[in-house]
Amino acid sequence: MKWSDLIWQKRVSGSILFARLSFGDTYELSIVQELNEAGLYEVAIFQDGNFIQLPGIHPESDELLDDVLRFQTREEVVGIVRKLESITGESPQNVYE
């Protein structure tokens, strides 16, 4: 999937763009444009509707870390998409709300 394949939607407020991708029936990736941070995004991974952290995507730490990865560049988001493709063996599909 290329960045241009993402289908962006607007939040109810109308000022924040977001996209959701599904990887088969198990994983979803939420991508949200950072407010007042042009070109940066926050991402979260869901498994069966619950936030999860995955090795190789989330930083490894003994401390409890946030499930949401903030201030990701476009390249970092594409890297996360590629890792989820590799983990699942599934091509991402846009999810519409």
Side-chain angles (χ1 to χ4, degrees):
M1 170 173 263
K2 298 179 298 220
W3 187 260
S4 60
D5 293 331
L6 288 172
I7 304 292
W8 293 98
Q9 302 172 67
K10 287 188 178 184
R11 291 269 185 225
V12 176
S13 67
S15 63
I16 298 176
L17 295 175
F18 72 98
R20 288 182 76 90
L21 298 174
S22 67
F23 296 81
D25 294 330
T26 305
Y27 292 106
E28 278 194 6
L29 177 66
S30 170
I31 308 164
V32 179
Q33 181 182 46
E34 287 279 1
L35 187 61
N36 300 321
E37 296 288 342
L40 295 178
Y41 305 87
E42 65 177 44
V43 299
I45 302 169
F46 298 89
Q47 182 178 26
D48 300 322
N50 298 307
F51 282 102
I52 63 164
Q53 295 184 13
L54 293 174
I57 295 176
H58 288 81
E60 294 187 29
S61 173
D62 292 334
E63 298 177 27
L64 184 61
L65 299 174
D66 195 348
D67 296 322
V68 176
L69 297 170
R70 299 207 49 210
F71 306 110
Q72 303 294 296
T73 65
R74 179 185 293 201
E75 293 77 17
E76 289 169 321
V77 174
V78 169
I80 291 168
V81 170
R82 297 284 177 251
K83 287 177 184 177
L84 284 167
E85 285 177 312
S86 178
I87 290 168
T88 64
E90 300 278 350
S91 295
Q93 302 296 315
N94 283 289
V95 175
Y96 307 100
E97 293 185 2

